[in-house]
Structure formats: structure tokens, C-alpha cells
């Protein structure tokens, strides 16, 4: 996978079942477009957890993902400073997200990774 950014921020979480449709609507129609407008954000991708079966060391196994967040958002960044910028702060609290969605999320996990391939 080729990445455009030198940094990758992830936000992963679960959402209450009765708010899942609203969560996906707001994420796709409001939250992601807001994040994409932040200077220094190069790409935003959403993902949903799936069953992981993998063969390693000659053994195929199903990896337990029971405690892992079901949804993830992957944001490619020019710099980690983007995450503390005024534009980022405005974007993450825009629209219906902070009042109608965020309170119904749980098991939230955030990570920041420096891309190592291609000596970026």
C-alpha cells in the first residue's frame, strides 16, 4: 500500500447499535469531508473490521478480534502537527458529530504512526 503522507493517524471505535446508521451517515457525509479540508490532511479512508484468517508459520488461524473496535478511520498526514492545528480542532467538532454521534461511541483508540517505507 502506497501512502501519500509521512504520518498516519487512526481513530478506531465502536458505536451503539441503535446509532450505527446515523454514525455511518454523519461519518461519510460530514466528518470525512470536514477532515479532508484540513490543511496537511492528504487522505482519509474508513474501514470496518472483518474476520481475520491468516497463515503464519505453516498454521492457518482465525484471529480473535472480540475486543477490537469495529470501525476505523485512517488519516494520512503531512505532519503530526496537523492534529493540533486550529483547522483540525474545528473539523473534529463540526456538524452533528460532537453532539449526535460522539457520545454514543466507545472503545475509542487513537494511534499515530510515522511512515517508514520509501524514506519519506
Amino acid at each position: 500500500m502506497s501512502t501519500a503522507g509521512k504520518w498516519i493517524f487512526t481513530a478506531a471505535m465502536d458505536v451503539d447499535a441503535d446509532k450505527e446508521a446515523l454514525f455511518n451517515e454523519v461519518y461519510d457525509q460530514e466528518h470525512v469531508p470536514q477532515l479532508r479540508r484540513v490543511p496537511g490532511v492528504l487522505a482519509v479512508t474508513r474501514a470496518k473490521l472483518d474476520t481475520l484468517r491468516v497463515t503464519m508459520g505453516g498454521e492457518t488461524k482465525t484471529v480473535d478480534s472480540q475486543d477490537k473496535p469495529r470501525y476505523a478511520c485512517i488519516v494520512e498526514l503531512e505532519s503530526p502537527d496537523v492534529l493540533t492545528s486550529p483547522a483540525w480542532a474545528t473539523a473534529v467538532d463540526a456538524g452533528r458529530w460532537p453532539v449526535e454521534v460522539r457520545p454514543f461511541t466507545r472503545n475509542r483508540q487513537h494511534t499515530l504512526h510515522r511512515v517508514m517505507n520509501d524514506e519519506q
Side-chain angles (χ1 to χ4, degrees), residues 93-110:
D93 283 331
R96 296 179 287 168
W97 183 260
V99 175
E100 295 182 36
V101 178
R102 187 182 292 140
F104 303 100
T105 62
R106 62 190 182 295
N107 193 21
R108 296 172 61 92
Q109 298 178 17
H110 298 93

PDB file of all heavy atoms in Angstrom, residues 93-110:
ATOM      1  N   ASP A  93     -14.961  18.925  15.488  1.00  0.00           N
ATOM      2  CA  ASP A  93     -16.143  19.312  16.258  1.00  0.00           C
ATOM      3  C   ASP A  93     -17.225  19.961  15.406  1.00  0.00           C
ATOM      4  O   ASP A  93     -18.130  20.617  15.916  1.00  0.00           O
ATOM      5  CB  ASP A  93     -15.744  20.244  17.409  1.00  0.00           C
ATOM      6  CG  ASP A  93     -15.126  19.479  18.559  1.00  0.00           C
ATOM      7  OD1 ASP A  93     -15.476  18.300  18.755  1.00  0.00           O
ATOM      8  OD2 ASP A  93     -14.282  20.060  19.262  1.00  0.00           O
ATOM      9  N   ALA A  94     -17.146  19.761  14.097  1.00  0.00           N
ATOM     10  CA  ALA A  94     -18.124  20.345  13.181  1.00  0.00           C
ATOM     11  C   ALA A  94     -19.337  19.441  13.008  1.00  0.00           C
ATOM     12  O   ALA A  94     -19.275  18.230  13.242  1.00  0.00           O
ATOM     13  CB  ALA A  94     -17.468  20.597  11.824  1.00  0.00           C
ATOM     14  N   GLY A  95     -20.433  20.038  12.589  1.00  0.00           N
ATOM     15  CA  GLY A  95     -21.634  19.277  12.228  1.00  0.00           C
ATOM     16  C   GLY A  95     -22.271  18.545  13.398  1.00  0.00           C
ATOM     17  O   GLY A  95     -22.180  18.965  14.552  1.00  0.00           O
ATOM     18  N   ARG A  96     -22.890  17.431  13.078  1.00  0.00           N
ATOM     19  CA  ARG A  96     -23.618  16.636  14.076  1.00  0.00           C
ATOM     20  C   ARG A  96     -22.727  15.723  14.900  1.00  0.00           C
ATOM     21  O   ARG A  96     -23.168  15.153  15.902  1.00  0.00           O
ATOM     22  CB  ARG A  96     -24.696  15.801  13.377  1.00  0.00           C
ATOM     23  CG  ARG A  96     -25.771  16.646  12.716  1.00  0.00           C
ATOM     24  CD  ARG A  96     -26.810  15.787  12.015  1.00  0.00           C
ATOM     25  NE  ARG A  96     -26.221  15.224  10.799  1.00  0.00           N
ATOM     26  CZ  ARG A  96     -26.783  14.248  10.075  1.00  0.00           C
ATOM     27  NH1 ARG A  96     -27.925  13.718  10.453  1.00  0.00           N
ATOM     28  NH2 ARG A  96     -26.197  13.814   8.982  1.00  0.00           N
ATOM     29  N   TRP A  97     -21.463  15.566  14.483  1.00  0.00           N
ATOM     30  CA  TRP A  97     -20.569  14.609  15.136  1.00  0.00           C
ATOM     31  C   TRP A  97     -20.465  14.784  16.658  1.00  0.00           C
ATOM     32  O   TRP A  97     -20.684  13.810  17.404  1.00  0.00           O
ATOM     33  CB  TRP A  97     -19.177  14.668  14.493  1.00  0.00           C
ATOM     34  CG  TRP A  97     -18.255  13.660  15.079  1.00  0.00           C
ATOM     35  CD1 TRP A  97     -17.298  13.869  16.028  1.00  0.00           C
ATOM     36  CD2 TRP A  97     -18.225  12.267  14.794  1.00  0.00           C
ATOM     37  NE1 TRP A  97     -16.668  12.689  16.342  1.00  0.00           N
ATOM     38  CE2 TRP A  97     -17.226  11.693  15.596  1.00  0.00           C
ATOM     39  CE3 TRP A  97     -18.950  11.446  13.932  1.00  0.00           C
ATOM     40  CZ2 TRP A  97     -16.915  10.345  15.564  1.00  0.00           C
ATOM     41  CZ3 TRP A  97     -18.647  10.093  13.899  1.00  0.00           C
ATOM     42  CH2 TRP A  97     -17.644   9.556  14.710  1.00  0.00           C
ATOM     43  N   PRO A  98     -20.148  15.971  17.179  1.00  0.00           N
ATOM     44  CA  PRO A  98     -19.883  16.073  18.615  1.00  0.00           C
ATOM     45  C   PRO A  98     -21.095  15.839  19.516  1.00  0.00           C
ATOM     46  O   PRO A  98     -20.940  15.360  20.641  1.00  0.00           O
ATOM     47  CB  PRO A  98     -19.336  17.488  18.797  1.00  0.00           C
ATOM     48  CG  PRO A  98     -19.799  18.244  17.618  1.00  0.00           C
ATOM     49  CD  PRO A  98     -19.922  17.244  16.491  1.00  0.00           C
ATOM     50  N   VAL A  99     -22.291  16.145  19.025  1.00  0.00           N
ATOM     51  CA  VAL A  99     -23.481  16.033  19.869  1.00  0.00           C
ATOM     52  C   VAL A  99     -24.294  14.774  19.586  1.00  0.00           C
ATOM     53  O   VAL A  99     -24.734  14.084  20.503  1.00  0.00           O
ATOM     54  CB  VAL A  99     -24.376  17.288  19.700  1.00  0.00           C
ATOM     55  CG1 VAL A  99     -25.676  17.143  20.468  1.00  0.00           C
ATOM     56  CG2 VAL A  99     -23.621  18.529  20.146  1.00  0.00           C
ATOM     57  N   GLU A 100     -24.463  14.442  18.311  1.00  0.00           N
ATOM     58  CA  GLU A 100     -25.354  13.341  17.944  1.00  0.00           C
ATOM     59  C   GLU A 100     -24.645  12.001  17.772  1.00  0.00           C
ATOM     60  O   GLU A 100     -25.302  10.969  17.743  1.00  0.00           O
ATOM     61  CB  GLU A 100     -26.102  13.684  16.657  1.00  0.00           C
ATOM     62  CG  GLU A 100     -27.054  14.860  16.816  1.00  0.00           C
ATOM     63  CD  GLU A 100     -27.817  15.167  15.543  1.00  0.00           C
ATOM     64  OE1 GLU A 100     -28.184  14.223  14.813  1.00  0.00           O
ATOM     65  OE2 GLU A 100     -28.046  16.364  15.274  1.00  0.00           O
ATOM     66  N   VAL A 101     -23.317  12.003  17.633  1.00  0.00           N
ATOM     67  CA  VAL A 101     -22.606  10.757  17.361  1.00  0.00           C
ATOM     68  C   VAL A 101     -21.561  10.423  18.433  1.00  0.00           C
ATOM     69  O   VAL A 101     -21.602   9.347  19.020  1.00  0.00           O
ATOM     70  CB  VAL A 101     -21.944  10.782  15.962  1.00  0.00           C
ATOM     71  CG1 VAL A 101     -21.163   9.505  15.708  1.00  0.00           C
ATOM     72  CG2 VAL A 101     -22.993  10.997  14.879  1.00  0.00           C
ATOM     73  N   ARG A 102     -20.628  11.328  18.661  1.00  0.00           N
ATOM     74  CA  ARG A 102     -19.514  11.039  19.578  1.00  0.00           C
ATOM     75  C   ARG A 102     -19.966  10.469  20.932  1.00  0.00           C
ATOM     76  O   ARG A 102     -19.341   9.523  21.430  1.00  0.00           O
ATOM     77  CB  ARG A 102     -18.653  12.278  19.793  1.00  0.00           C
ATOM     78  CG  ARG A 102     -17.400  11.975  20.606  1.00  0.00           C
ATOM     79  CD  ARG A 102     -16.569  13.215  20.875  1.00  0.00           C
ATOM     80  NE  ARG A 102     -15.983  13.738  19.661  1.00  0.00           N
ATOM     81  CZ  ARG A 102     -15.885  15.025  19.370  1.00  0.00           C
ATOM     82  NH1 ARG A 102     -16.338  15.942  20.206  1.00  0.00           N
ATOM     83  NH2 ARG A 102     -15.316  15.418  18.252  1.00  0.00           N
ATOM     84  N   PRO A 103     -21.041  10.989  21.552  1.00  0.00           N
ATOM     85  CA  PRO A 103     -21.443  10.441  22.854  1.00  0.00           C
ATOM     86  C   PRO A 103     -21.849   8.964  22.814  1.00  0.00           C
ATOM     87  O   PRO A 103     -21.894   8.311  23.861  1.00  0.00           O
ATOM     88  CB  PRO A 103     -22.640  11.306  23.257  1.00  0.00           C
ATOM     89  CG  PRO A 103     -22.492  12.568  22.469  1.00  0.00           C
ATOM     90  CD  PRO A 103     -21.849  12.158  21.180  1.00  0.00           C
ATOM     91  N   PHE A 104     -22.120   8.441  21.628  1.00  0.00           N
ATOM     92  CA  PHE A 104     -22.579   7.061  21.501  1.00  0.00           C
ATOM     93  C   PHE A 104     -21.477   6.123  21.005  1.00  0.00           C
ATOM     94  O   PHE A 104     -21.737   4.985  20.641  1.00  0.00           O
ATOM     95  CB  PHE A 104     -23.808   7.014  20.589  1.00  0.00           C
ATOM     96  CG  PHE A 104     -24.900   7.900  21.102  1.00  0.00           C
ATOM     97  CD1 PHE A 104     -25.111   9.163  20.554  1.00  0.00           C
ATOM     98  CD2 PHE A 104     -25.681   7.505  22.183  1.00  0.00           C
ATOM     99  CE1 PHE A 104     -26.092  10.004  21.056  1.00  0.00           C
ATOM    100  CE2 PHE A 104     -26.668   8.347  22.692  1.00  0.00           C
ATOM    101  CZ  PHE A 104     -26.876   9.601  22.131  1.00  0.00           C
ATOM    102  N   THR A 105     -20.245   6.641  20.971  1.00  0.00           N
ATOM    103  CA  THR A 105     -19.106   5.807  20.597  1.00  0.00           C
ATOM    104  C   THR A 105     -18.408   5.334  21.872  1.00  0.00           C
ATOM    105  O   THR A 105     -18.503   5.959  22.928  1.00  0.00           O
ATOM    106  CB  THR A 105     -18.113   6.563  19.701  1.00  0.00           C
ATOM    107  OG1 THR A 105     -17.577   7.675  20.419  1.00  0.00           O
ATOM    108  CG2 THR A 105     -18.789   7.030  18.417  1.00  0.00           C
ATOM    109  N   ARG A 106     -17.702   4.217  21.746  1.00  0.00           N
ATOM    110  CA  ARG A 106     -16.983   3.650  22.889  1.00  0.00           C
ATOM    111  C   ARG A 106     -15.798   2.849  22.362  1.00  0.00           C
ATOM    112  O   ARG A 106     -15.661   2.678  21.158  1.00  0.00           O
ATOM    113  CB  ARG A 106     -17.906   2.795  23.744  1.00  0.00           C
ATOM    114  CG  ARG A 106     -18.483   1.611  23.007  1.00  0.00           C
ATOM    115  CD  ARG A 106     -19.587   0.916  23.810  1.00  0.00           C
ATOM    116  NE  ARG A 106     -20.096  -0.243  23.126  1.00  0.00           N
ATOM    117  CZ  ARG A 106     -20.749  -0.260  21.975  1.00  0.00           C
ATOM    118  NH1 ARG A 106     -20.972   0.854  21.329  1.00  0.00           N
ATOM    119  NH2 ARG A 106     -21.174  -1.373  21.442  1.00  0.00           N
ATOM    120  N   ASN A 107     -14.995   2.372  23.267  1.00  0.00           N
ATOM    121  CA  ASN A 107     -13.818   1.583  22.904  1.00  0.00           C
ATOM    122  C   ASN A 107     -12.965   2.356  21.896  1.00  0.00           C
ATOM    123  O   ASN A 107     -12.429   1.809  20.949  1.00  0.00           O
ATOM    124  CB  ASN A 107     -14.236   0.217  22.339  1.00  0.00           C
ATOM    125  CG  ASN A 107     -13.074  -0.749  22.240  1.00  0.00           C
ATOM    126  OD1 ASN A 107     -12.054  -0.605  22.910  1.00  0.00           O
ATOM    127  ND2 ASN A 107     -13.219  -1.752  21.389  1.00  0.00           N
ATOM    128  N   ARG A 108     -12.859   3.663  22.129  1.00  0.00           N
ATOM    129  CA  ARG A 108     -12.125   4.539  21.213  1.00  0.00           C
ATOM    130  C   ARG A 108     -10.622   4.331  21.386  1.00  0.00           C
ATOM    131  O   ARG A 108     -10.117   4.290  22.501  1.00  0.00           O
ATOM    132  CB  ARG A 108     -12.495   5.994  21.469  1.00  0.00           C
ATOM    133  CG  ARG A 108     -13.968   6.280  21.166  1.00  0.00           C
ATOM    134  CD  ARG A 108     -14.367   7.680  21.606  1.00  0.00           C
ATOM    135  NE  ARG A 108     -13.608   8.707  20.926  1.00  0.00           N
ATOM    136  CZ  ARG A 108     -13.989   9.301  19.791  1.00  0.00           C
ATOM    137  NH1 ARG A 108     -15.120   8.954  19.213  1.00  0.00           N
ATOM    138  NH2 ARG A 108     -13.247  10.236  19.244  1.00  0.00           N
ATOM    139  N   GLN A 109      -9.942   4.214  20.258  1.00  0.00           N
ATOM    140  CA  GLN A 109      -8.490   4.061  20.266  1.00  0.00           C
ATOM    141  C   GLN A 109      -7.908   4.957  19.179  1.00  0.00           C
ATOM    142  O   GLN A 109      -8.372   4.940  18.045  1.00  0.00           O
ATOM    143  CB  GLN A 109      -8.105   2.605  20.017  1.00  0.00           C
ATOM    144  CG  GLN A 109      -8.628   1.668  21.083  1.00  0.00           C
ATOM    145  CD  GLN A 109      -8.299   0.222  20.812  1.00  0.00           C
ATOM    146  OE1 GLN A 109      -7.438  -0.094  20.004  1.00  0.00           O
ATOM    147  NE2 GLN A 109      -8.981  -0.668  21.502  1.00  0.00           N
ATOM    148  N   HIS A 110      -6.893   5.726  19.541  1.00  0.00           N
ATOM    149  CA  HIS A 110      -6.230   6.618  18.600  1.00  0.00           C
ATOM    150  C   HIS A 110      -4.753   6.252  18.542  1.00  0.00           C
ATOM    151  O   HIS A 110      -4.146   5.987  19.578  1.00  0.00           O
ATOM    152  CB  HIS A 110      -6.385   8.083  19.043  1.00  0.00           C
ATOM    153  CG  HIS A 110      -7.800   8.529  19.090  1.00  0.00           C
ATOM    154  ND1 HIS A 110      -8.558   8.473  20.234  1.00  0.00           N
ATOM    155  CD2 HIS A 110      -8.603   9.026  18.130  1.00  0.00           C
ATOM    156  CE1 HIS A 110      -9.774   8.918  19.972  1.00  0.00           C
ATOM    157  NE2 HIS A 110      -9.831   9.261  18.697  1.00  0.00           N
TER     158      HIS A 110
END
